[in-house]
Amino acid sequence: MSKTIFSLFKRLAKVILVCVIIIGGFLFGEIFQTRAASSDIVINEIMANALDEDTGEFVELYNKSSQSIDVLGWGLFDAIDTNDHLIDYTGANNWGKAGTTIPAYGYALIVDPEYAGEYNAYLSSHADSNKVVMLTIDQDTTIGNGLTNSGDTITIDDGAGYTASYTWSSDAGNGISWEKIDPQGGDQQSNWKICTDSFGSTPGSQNSPPNQPPVIEITSANPSSIPADGRSTTLLSAKVSDPDGLGDIDSVTIDLSALGGSETQAMYDDATNGDTTASDGTFSYSTFVSVATKAGSYSLSITVIDSIGSEASKTLALAVTQPVYSDKIIVNEFLANPEGTDSEGEWIELYNKGNSTVDLSGWQLDDADGGSSPYTLPDETSIEAGQYLVFYRTDTGIALNNDGDQVRLLQPDENVTSSANYADYAEEGVAYALTSEGEWTWTTTPTPGEQNLITSPGDEEEEKEGEEKGEAGESGDNPKELSISDVREEEKGVWVKTKGIITCPPGIFSGSTIFYIQDEKAGIRIYSSSEDVGELKLGDEAEVIGKVSERSGEKKINIKGEEDITVASHKDPLQAKHVKTGEIGEDYEGLLVIISGKIVETHGSVFYVDDGSGKIKIYIKKSTGIDKPEMHKGDVVTITGIVSEAYDAYRILPRFQDDVKLGKVLGAASEDKLAKTGTSFWLVIVITCLIMGLGCLLRFGIRLKKIA
């Protein structure tokens, strides 16, 4: 009996053990499945900026495990709304499996409760209906509080401690989703990207592949060698491809900083800026090389950036050569003071003395440095061999001064290849022209666009004036013998004979044709039509025979040359006459004077001095070689020079470097001030001596007292 009971008990124990094993295995499996759900359900795709934001927003979950997982009641929250929970979507546009269980390696597409079916066509052609379950939320008509395009956060919560979330901070684009790159990876930003599928999203199916970087296949420069002339162009090109399509390319730039351009110069694939064909993947840019660029080989960096910031770079080789410009183009003639209005009649003539046509595009005409703005000759400007080209002020804007200026021709690299200076006054209608011997001279016969014709502005016109007047002193054989002050009273055309001490020898003011003489009362300018005037020195007493004339309001005597000059003797150079700045006028014309005062205005070779009696213009002619000292308004200067008239305005012309001195020079004040200065000086000396003598007497007396 006991054995029977023991046998029955043993059999019952086996049955109970089997049941325990079966039930335990089932419970263990359930526990394992629940734990798998906590790590295997991930947020896989988010459509925040749907084409129709009222019905098209969605969140896609992915089950990365081999087991089906039920997500009924899981929370789906955004940054504001934390009340929504997942339920089965049973609307008219439902697609895929029924229920809330996500199949193994399947997807859950969470849509708005009012979903209008906008993704069903894509699902039908791209997704497996056995791997997709469509869900929605139970509290609202929108997912979360309506997903924010420019930035929001989506969170899933299983209610048992597992959460997953993704935050975006920019707009992916209208109708474009954010996608997880690797479902097995985490939710860090680097594992998310903007969808690159042509549909804009991939609901219920594998996400679009990761963005691939662009590629620069080849680069080229056509031509590959270019002169640094600031004008010649080369076409820089790069053949670019992108595995994600050309539409993924955000920018193509080239660094032209070494050539004087931009560091990030855009290149184009739109048939502009030198590009020949739009949208063919060849990005181009046509450019020139700055004249400041040195000759040599350059490696220019091209950079391509795609939509997610991936870069590709490659260099482009370009050779830069030193440009070679013709030296056969010269300034040949110009008219600074035309008859009538200067602004309409001034012109500059160029001449090609070479044997071939020269391209003048980019060359410049200019006057003296700091004057008018340079004029750049237009593109396609050329000059044939032996041809003359004339440029008028109405086109160039270059205004030449009547009282001295410079004309310059500059090559594109700003090298001055030809120039002409004139320091003397330009008579009305008289041009400055180059002679056949290569010398510059004035001519009364301007020939714009033709070979120069040199006619003297001196004797011929004034001969006619004398003949018409028929006054005394009709010829050089019978001139009037007059003092300089009397000569200044004579009419133009009268032959005179006078003498004076040379105060400014030839070669100081515009070549060897001009000098000044002066006696005890007056001074006058002498003009020779020939540069051969002999050896004339400062202090020589010279007698001249010539004809009274006038230039720009200033009286002068015109002579033919050395035959009209007799040097009687040599004396010490005359001392300049001390005058006040406000006194200078007709009475001092031609005289050597000295003034002292403060600078009231200064610019270039001109400045104005005022001692309180009125300002006077000081003009340093370039031919003097005087280096103008650095001076500023308010500085005190002492100036020595010849008083000259130009169109009813008077100025002082310094002759030598020592004629321009900073500070007040002893003896440069007016005569009455000099007298007072001398008296005060001697009075101070006398008083000082008396005080010193009195001191000595007192000291001697004290010593005597001690001895006593």
Side-chain angles (χ1 to χ4, degrees), residues 553-702:
E554 181 178 353
K555 276 291 178 68
K556 64 174 181 171
I557 299 173
N558 285 338
I559 64 175
K560 296 177 182 178
E562 185 177 6
E563 64 269 27
D564 291 334
I565 306 170
T566 301
V567 176
S569 63
H570 180 78
K571 299 182 179 181
D572 292 334
L574 291 178
Q575 296 299 310
K577 182 176 179 62
H578 300 284
V579 296
K580 294 181 178 180
T581 57
E583 294 177 347
I584 293 176
E586 183 69 26
D587 291 342
Y588 291 99
E589 183 180 293
L591 281 176
L592 181 65
V593 300
I594 183 170
I595 58 99
S596 184
K598 291 183 178 181
I599 300 290
V600 294
E601 184 180 344
T602 178
H603 53 84
S605 58
V606 174
F607 56 98
Y608 291 82
V609 178
D610 192 344
D611 62 6
S613 62
K615 69 178 182 179
I616 183 64
K617 176 180 179 180
I618 313 298
Y619 174 41
I620 299 177
K621 283 179 168 283
K622 187 172 183 179
S623 59
T624 63
I626 296 174
D627 184 12
K628 180 184 176 184
E630 182 177 350
M631 56 181 63
H632 307 280
K633 187 175 180 180
D635 289 350
V636 175
V637 294
T638 299
I639 306 298
T640 303
I642 304 294
V643 176
S644 172
E645 182 182 359
Y647 303 104
D648 299 323
Y650 294 91
R651 74 264 181 89
I652 296 176
L653 306 178
R655 309 157 300 165
F656 314 112
Q657 188 68 51
D658 286 345
D659 286 349
V660 182
K661 295 181 179 180
L662 292 176
K664 189 172 183 178
V665 178
L666 184 63
S670 60
E671 294 178 0
D672 58 336
K673 288 187 178 180
L674 284 172
K676 290 179 181 178
T677 300
T679 302
S680 299
F681 174 77
W682 290 112
L683 181 61
V684 170
I685 294 296
V686 171
I687 293 173
T688 301
C689 291
L690 289 173
I691 292 173
M692 291 175 66
L694 181 61
C696 290
L697 289 174
L698 288 173
R699 186 175 181 183
F700 182 70
I702 292 171

Side-chain angles (χ1 to χ4, degrees), residues 18 52 65 91 162 182 198 234 318 407 416 454 484 506-507 511 525 566 570 634 660 663:
V18 170
D52 187 339
S65 76
Y162 168 68
D182 180 10
S198 59
T234 182
L318 179 68
V407 175
V416 178
I454 308 302
I484 295 177
R525 170 178 176 154
T566 301
H570 180 78
V660 182

